[in-house]
Amino acid sequence: MTVMTHTMLKGSNVPVDAAAVRAVLRWTPGPGVPDVDASALLLGASGRVRSDEDFVFYNQPRHPSGLVRRLPKRSVPEGLTDTVEADLGALDASVDQVVIAASSDGAAFEQVPDLRILLFDAAFAEGEPLAVFDVRPETGEETAIICGELYRRGEGWKFRAVGQGYPTGLIGLATAFGISVDESEAADQDRAAGGAQDPAGPGPLPAAVPPPPSVPPGPAPAPATGTGPDSQATVQHQQPSYGYPPPVAHPAAPAAAHQPAYGFPQPAEPPAYGYPQPAAAAAHAPDPHFVLPPQGPQFVRS
């Protein structure tokens, strides 16, 4: 079968005399060239999808009808290919268009050389293409491009070269045709594209946490050790310093109750239960009526 290939310009169209077609995206890979994925949207008379099932892409590679599907990527002498196959003659009458799109992964299409779409008769997929369109990004910032569209015209189908780009990636393209996109997926694409939300940045604010109870100022507790006081005890007792006067509190620190230090008179203060009580200061004053007992005979003058 002899096929004449139509080299198409943007906006041009050609009739499609095939019951099933293969739309092949082809590009030249290399360092810094992002991967490219083909996708298809089945549109109704309103120019929008009938449901989310009408979106055929890498996460949903086959339409529920089985009539539109993605084929595995291939490496050919001219570069890499990703293909969408559509059985146009068997599609439901409510499908007016099949949009063929490309999306880039991690960079804009200005870094994808030699991108083109080739339309084949599926029955002669190894032969010459029916049409070829070299896809050129308009701004260079596009991350998704409608390469072409298959649409009904009377009893048959036609193919139009489109080349319309979107800087918002596959998600932006899908939502433009009525696909419902999960917000978390949109956020993931924004982060991958270097959007405003930083993946290492802060997440959602946590719920308000009540502040800790107010604690009166005081000396910081000593770190817990195996030989120190029990940090879980309800009340901590300071042990007496035997043979040494108790330490003097820092002027900035609040006054604290002293434990008695044996061997030194204690100041007047409330009794410390469990320890000897301090004697009154008057008990230590000399008694003016004190008289030594009589001395023994060895001390009497003769």
Side-chain angles (χ1 to χ4, degrees), residues 72-218:
K73 289 184 177 180
R74 295 177 57 193
S75 177
V76 296
E78 297 84 359
L80 292 178
T81 67
D82 200 9
T83 303
V84 173
E85 187 172 80
D87 294 335
L88 300 178
L91 282 175
D92 190 91
S94 62
V95 178
D96 274 11
Q97 301 177 58
V98 179
V99 171
I100 308 298
S103 59
S104 60
D105 183 15
F109 271 103
E110 65 178 351
Q111 299 185 37
V112 180
D114 307 320
L115 179 65
R116 58 171 37 186
I117 182 170
L118 303 96
L119 189 70
F120 291 86
D121 184 336
F124 303 95
E126 302 302 324
E128 293 297 317
L130 303 175
V132 174
F133 172 48
D134 290 331
V135 183
R136 297 288 182 264
E138 294 178 338
T139 68
E141 300 300 319
E142 295 89 345
T143 49
I145 296 180
I146 298 176
C147 299
E149 61 183 9
L150 297 154
Y151 61 99
R152 291 185 187 272
R153 181 61 69 210
E155 297 298 322
W157 289 81
K158 300 185 80 171
F159 176 75
R160 177 183 292 119
V162 180
Q164 178 183 348
Y166 292 77
T168 49
L170 187 61
I171 288 178
L173 182 149
T175 54
F177 288 100
I179 296 293
S180 301
V181 178
D182 188 350
E183 291 183 0
S184 63
E185 293 181 4
D188 289 342
Q189 177 165 345
D190 287 343
R191 287 193 292 268
Q197 186 172 358
D198 186 352
L205 294 176
V209 178
S214 177
V215 179

Side-chain angles (χ1 to χ4, degrees), residues 40-43 50-56 60-70 84-95 97-98 152 157:
L41 297 109
L42 284 68
L43 309 182
R50 300 164 301 169
S51 73
D52 287 354
E53 292 179 337
D54 285 343
F55 187 24
V56 177
Q60 186 171 273
R62 188 179 184 88
H63 189 266
S65 67
L67 300 177
V68 179
R69 53 201 170 270
R70 290 180 76 240
V84 173
E85 187 172 80
D87 294 335
L88 300 178
L91 282 175
D92 190 91
S94 62
V95 178
Q97 301 177 58
V98 179
R152 291 185 187 272
W157 289 81

Side-chain angles (χ1 to χ4, degrees), residues 208-294:
V209 178
S214 177
V215 179
T225 62
T227 58
D230 183 4
S231 61
Q232 302 300 319
T234 305
V235 178
Q236 299 291 332
H237 295 284
Q238 181 179 357
Q239 298 299 328
S241 305
Y242 297 103
Y244 295 91
V248 180
H250 192 277
H258 293 284
Q259 299 295 342
Y262 296 108
F264 293 90
Q266 305 301 320
E269 60 182 5
Y273 297 102
Y275 295 94
Q277 307 306 314
H284 298 281
D287 187 355
H289 303 290
F290 176 76
V291 179
L292 291 173

